[in-house]
Amino acid sequence: MIKLSQIKAGVVGWPISHSLSPRLHGFWLNKYNIEGAYLSFAVAPEALGDFISAMPDKGITGLNVTVPHKESIFPFLDEVGEVAQKIGAVNMVTLREGQLYGSNTDAYGFLTNLQQKAPLWSAEQGPVVIIGAGGAARAAIVSLLAEGVPEIRLFNRTRGRADKLAERYDDPRLKVYDWAERSQKLSEISLLVNTTLLGMTGQPPLDIDLSLLSPLAVVYDIVYNPLVTDLLKQAKLRGNPCVDGLGMLLYQAAPAFEAWFGQAPMVDQDLRNYMLGGL
Ligand code: ATR
């Protein structure tokens, strides 16, 4: 048994009760017999700076960062990795030699889930459509541009937010369209991604007509509750390959667990089943 009882990590957010991260890291701690702890920290926005600065005193080695702190945490960190800077969001903080280092594994989680669940998809197959313009959309954009997709068609209810993203990335492959055009622009794409909350339990479904979508195009919904959203139900009926959002949650967590607890964890069906029990 690895004796690492001194290692303490957790997730910080406000509120935090909804977070599945303690269940996820708890599964791995148990599986690998690691005597570490992974806790939930409910920290209000105005208390974030003090909380982060006190990480060394509290003996916290690593923190996942969730809503609403992923952007506001930047000023409290000593260093931020390149991917996190590109995305403009930090989802993990690691204490390294007394320094607080922010990074982002959402783009990794997004892409690894896609590669695992849709192994036949590859970037050069054609344009992709992204729905949404928040932090999750930025993680998807950063990873897909880096993969070499030829074009991203971006749609957001509030067009101005999507225009800002296009300015931010300043890449001719990233093209913004009006929200009303989302169904018409599905032809010839290789991948459709929903990065919004639409389709989540308690939210309306994403209203989109898939008639023009090639049956070979992958449909990826980052929502995982429910696992099969309305969008994925529609896509499955048409025979499109589908990717649900649970894997993104699992894969974004794996590098954090490895960084803090020293064990590369497995993402497998056992873990998926266990996580589904927590939804
Ligand atoms: P995250 O960082 O998790 O991506 P966010 O920054 O709050 O979350 O972004 C939420 C996304 O869902 C946005 O693209 C938002 O569109 P707006 O920019 O127009 O707000 C989108 N969204 C949320 N509710 C929506 C709805 N009812 N219809 C369409 N888009 C919606």
Side-chain angles (χ1 to χ4, degrees):
M1 177 185 279
I2 306 169
K3 284 274 179 192
L4 291 174
S5 50
Q6 74 278 21
I7 293 186
K8 192 157 92 180
V11 55
V12 61
W14 182 259
I16 198 62
S17 52
H18 66 281
S19 174
L20 288 175
S21 292
R23 185 175 178 91
L24 171 50
H25 287 265
F27 177 91
W28 284 328
L29 285 171
N30 188 44
K31 174 170 176 166
Y32 297 109
N33 278 327
I34 295 171
E35 283 195 5
Y38 187 99
L39 309 165
S40 288
F41 300 103
V43 176
E46 60 276 15
L48 183 66
D50 286 345
F51 180 80
I52 294 299
S53 310
M55 269 176 75
D57 298 337
K58 291 181 198 290
I60 302 171
T61 303
L63 277 180
N64 281 120
V65 183
T66 188
V67 181
H69 301 318
K70 285 184 165 191
E71 295 172 32
S72 55
I73 198 165
F74 274 73
F76 309 121
L77 302 172
D78 298 305
E79 199 186 336
V80 175
E82 196 187 326
V83 175
Q85 287 185 31
K86 273 195 188 148
I87 298 174
V90 158
N91 81 331
M92 63 179 274
V93 176
T94 303
L95 183 64
R96 291 202 311 215
E97 292 163 6
Q99 301 278 294
L100 293 168
Y101 179 77
S103 49
N104 191 309
T105 59
D106 287 333
Y108 167 82
F110 171 84
L111 192 66
T112 308
N113 187 34
L114 175 61
Q115 291 165 337
Q116 294 295 321
K117 288 280 167 181
L120 296 181
W121 180 86
S122 62
E124 73 282 354
Q125 284 167 355
V128 308
V129 162
I130 294 184
I131 308 285
R138 297 200 299 276
I141 289 168
V142 164
S143 64
L144 291 173
L145 287 177
E147 273 301 284
V149 294
E151 183 186 329
I152 294 178
R153 302 174 185 167
L154 184 60
F155 296 87
N156 194 50
R157 174 181 59 179
T158 311
R159 171 153 182 164
R161 266 187 104 188
D163 288 329
K164 278 213 176 97
L165 283 202
E167 267 171 49
R168 175 189 181 99
Y169 292 113
D170 191 26
D171 187 312
R173 293 176 292 165
L174 184 54
K175 295 175 182 153
V176 178
Y177 294 92
D178 283 340
W179 182 242
E181 290 181 277
R182 62 196 181 281
S183 302
Q184 290 133 49
K185 294 285 180 196
L186 296 179
S187 54
E188 286 152 25
I189 66 166
S190 67
L191 171 66
L192 164 65
V193 188
N194 173 42
T195 71
T196 71
L197 305 181
L198 294 171
M200 190 183 279
T201 304
Q203 299 283 334
L206 170 62
D207 179 16
I208 192 163
D209 177 352
L210 301 184
S211 308
L212 295 180
L213 189 69
S214 153
L216 298 176
V218 174
V219 179
Y220 185 170
D221 200 329
I222 71 156
V223 170
Y224 54 78
N225 190 8
L227 201 57
V228 183
T229 58
D230 232 65
L231 171 66
L232 293 188
K233 272 186 204 152
Q234 268 195 73
K236 267 184 210 276
L237 278 176
R238 307 174 75 255
N240 287 84
C242 289
V243 179
D244 64 65
L246 183 59
M248 180 171 171
L249 172 77
L250 307 182
Y251 286 112
Q252 64 77 34
F257 187 88
E258 184 174 2
W260 304 330
F261 297 110
Q263 165 77 50
M266 288 262 292
V267 172
D268 57 14
Q269 196 55 44
D270 268 3
L271 175 63
R272 285 177 72 86
N273 292 342
Y274 180 73
M275 292 310 293
L276 288 173
L279 294 181

